[in-house]
Every structure is written in structure tokens, then in C-alpha cells.
Amino acid sequence: MKKILIATQKPFAPVAVEKMKAIAKEKGYAVEVFEKYAEQADLVNAVADADAMIIRSDKATKEVLDAAKNLKVIVRAGAGYDNIDLDAATANNIVAMNTPGQNSNAVGELVLGMMVYMARNGYNGKAGTELRAKKLGIHAYGNVGRYVAEIARGFGMAIYAYDPFVDNAKMQAEGITPCASVEELYSTCDFVSLHIPANDKTKKSINFELLNKMPKGGMLINTARKEVIDEDDLLKLMGTRPDFSYVSDIAPDCAHIIADKYEGRFFFTPKKMGAQTSEANINAGIAAINQIIGVIEDGDETYRVNK
Ligand code: 3PG
């Protein structure tokens, strides 16, 4: 019987795991659940006899993939696959995939939730501000960006987006004002929500020059990856712009400095929470199981991300 390893340091909701197991069992696959492991070395050992593996933000390094002698497919149950060494996957003849869109609504809801929390001063009793009629910029109008726009529309926000890969006509048809450049997006919008992937081109691309273009009272909401922020520049901006606040789903490396100096101007989730809902876990988990079976049984490589 072929074995699917579900390796999640941050576990899926139990209901999602039950559903994943049921589908796998029906198709004749065994499932091993390997949760909350302490060390990367534990993952290296656990993967040794797996035919397929499902991960979340777990690190599928070269060491892990080299140790996975039977592995045919690895699925990142989620959107960002910057945690998979794609070259190592290719070198080991492993198909690497993600499950785009499956957890996007959960992330979108968190964006608006964190915006309200910050705009109301963390519910500390002081008068805050409202989102209605404010300008929201969506930096990358993909699956998550679309959900953010849909929810923000309900708040009565004016929505802008910058995404060189999406047609302006498509954005306009969805009630979005497209910006011609990333600079235009940041200089126009009171709030900017980040949805770019972390790769060689985007890492540290959100810098002082860009953030300093934001209007007075500007807020950056990061549910993408901490690596896309230039943290030296972020600290410089926090120091020179007392009106600016930063919200991130997972703390930046410089969180302790921000926490010491800039009380009330930041919020960081203790663990990445964007996709952490039962619904998102069920959607992404089931998609991952079905994609694995699709690769192994039918050679279906839709959503493959390595070459
Ligand atoms: C994603 O890329 O899909 C999100 O960042 C979710 O990550 P998680 O599965 O670790 O919660």
C-alpha cells in the first residue's frame, strides 16, 4: 500500500485530517500523520518511506528531499511554495505542487480583521478610525487579493490594485482601480495589503522609499511573507514616520525592536494564522490528497510548480 505522509509542524484541524484520511483510504492509500515535530531531523527521518508528502510551511529542504527515497510527489497544502527546494525536488524526480486558491478566503478575512483591530487601536477604548471611504491598495491581485477586495467592498472602501500580470480591464470589471506602478499604489492608498510571493525578485523589495510614499496614517498589512520586507528600512520608517503602522501575519525578525519602541503601531500574530481555519484546512488538505492521487494514478500534473 502506498503511503502519504502528512507532515505538519502546525497541524491541520482534526476534521480536515479525518476527511483527508477517508479519501486516501477509499483510494487504497495509507496515511501517516506526523504533527508538531520538534526538529528538522525528525522530518528527514519521517519521510524515508513515504510515496507522497503533504506539508504546510514545513521546510522541504534538499536534505529532506534527498532522504525521501520513495517520494513521487510533494504537495504544499497552500499557496506559497518558497519552503520547497524546487531544484532538489526536480533532481530527485519528485513532482512539487501547491493548492492555489484553497485557503485564500481565510487569509482575506484575516486581512480585514487585522485592519479593523488596528484602526480601533486594539480595542483599547480610545477613538479609532473607520475603513469606509478609505483607500485600500492590493499589492498583487491574485487569489487572496480578490477575496480581500470582495470583503473590503462590503466595508465601503475604495479599492486599488497593482499587478502587472492581470489585465486592467479585468480589474476594472471587478470594481478595482488599477495602478500603473507600484509607486502609484503606495502613494495613493491609506492601507496596502501585500500578496506578492517570496522569491529572488521580491525579497526585501518593500523598502523605505516605497513605504514612505504612503499617505499620513498609512498602514501596511502583510499576510504574504516576512522576507519581502526590507526590515532595516521598515525600522527606519517606523522611526521617522510616527503615523505609520505595520501589521503582519507572523512576526518580522526585528519584532522585539518594534515592540520595545513603537507600542500601538504594530500587530503580529504569534503563529502564521492566515490559513488557520477548519474550512481552509479542509479545502487545501482535500485538494492535496486528490492531487497526489491524480499524479500517481493518472499522471495529472496540474499545479506542478517545479520543472
Ligand atoms: C500559504 O502560503 O498558503 C499560507 O501562507 C499558509 O501557510 P500555512 O499553511 O503554514 O498556514
Side-chain angles (χ1 to χ4, degrees):
M1 200 183 252
K2 288 199 164 46
K3 179 169 131 182
I4 301 174
L5 181 74
I6 301 176
T8 49
Q9 219 161 24
K10 181 177 64 187
F12 288 119
V15 61
V17 176
E18 286 317 309
K19 286 178 189 289
M20 292 160 77
K21 277 183 177 168
I23 296 171
K25 189 175 170 197
E26 195 192 311
K27 297 284 182 181
Y29 287 73
V31 169
E32 183 187 328
V33 181
F34 183 61
E35 293 175 337
K36 295 184 187 171
Y37 54 92
E39 307 279 343
Q40 188 67 10
D42 300 337
L43 181 59
V44 174
N45 291 333
V47 77
D49 62 345
D51 297 279
M53 171 158 70
I54 295 172
I55 57 168
R56 297 185 64 180
S57 290
D58 308 81
K59 291 184 175 44
T61 57
K62 182 175 185 314
E63 198 190 1
V64 170
L65 297 171
D66 284 350
K69 296 295 175 214
N70 293 341
L71 205 70
K72 289 152 203 74
V73 49
I74 178 169
V75 182
R76 192 281 188 243
Y81 47 88
D82 47 302
N83 52 328
I84 303 179
D85 185 326
L86 297 180
D87 292 338
T90 303
N92 284 290
N93 284 321
I94 298 166
V95 176
M97 293 177 151
N98 65 349
T99 64
Q102 300 292 347
N103 58 19
S104 302
N105 180 63
V107 182
E109 288 188 11
L110 185 72
V111 170
L112 272 293
M114 294 197 299
M115 284 167 62
V116 173
Y117 177 80
M118 285 302 287
R120 297 300 184 97
N121 300 317
Y123 312 131
N124 68 356
K126 289 189 188 154
T129 54
E130 300 183 17
L131 302 187
R132 180 167 295 277
K134 301 285 181 348
K135 293 174 179 164
L136 171 65
I138 298 177
H139 189 168
Y141 191 63
N143 289 314
V144 181
R146 281 191 184 83
Y147 277 106
V148 170
E150 186 186 317
I151 302 165
R153 212 170 285 128
F155 279 83
M157 300 190 82
I159 305 162
Y160 297 75
Y162 172 72
D163 193 326
F165 303 105
V166 179
D167 281 349
N168 283 356
K170 185 175 165 53
M171 290 194 208
Q172 280 158 338
E174 295 176 14
I176 312 295
T177 304
C179 290
S181 66
V182 72
E183 289 79 12
E184 186 187 327
L185 185 83
Y186 281 71
S187 51
T188 304
C189 296
D190 305 297
F191 298 83
V192 171
S193 186
L194 269 177
H195 302 291
I196 52 176
N199 56 41
D200 290 345
K201 284 195 184 125
T202 61
K203 281 180 187 167
K204 295 194 179 209
S205 65
I206 308 303
N207 56 26
F208 180 85
E209 208 187 333
L210 196 56
L211 292 173
N212 200 31
K213 292 187 187 305
M214 290 190 76
K216 194 164 189 308
M219 186 188 297
L220 180 71
I221 305 99
N222 182 5
T223 54
R225 292 289 182 270
K226 65 178 180 180
E227 289 81 2
V228 301
I229 306 288
D230 184 320
E231 293 198 11
D232 291 338
D233 281 15
L234 174 67
L235 287 173
K236 184 174 161 195
L237 191 85
M238 294 293 285
T240 54
R241 287 271 308 261
D243 59 294
F244 175 85
S245 48
Y246 180 55
V247 185
S248 180
D249 183 22
I250 202 168
D253 295 336
C254 64
H256 56 291
I257 303 176
I258 294 180
D260 279 352
K261 291 185 168 178
Y262 306 118
E263 197 190 335
R265 292 174 47 207
F266 70 92
F267 175 74
F268 306 135
T269 53
K271 271 194 179 179
K272 188 144 51 107
M273 288 300 296
Q276 198 58 328
T277 66
S278 298
E279 293 88 340
N281 291 174
I282 291 169
N283 292 344
I286 289 178
I289 291 280
N290 285 332
Q291 287 174 215
I292 285 169
I293 295 167
V295 171
I296 293 176
E297 307 290 328
D298 305 321
D300 179 354
E301 297 193 352
T302 311
Y303 304 126
R304 181 172 182 153
V305 294
N306 62 329
K307 295 200 178 94

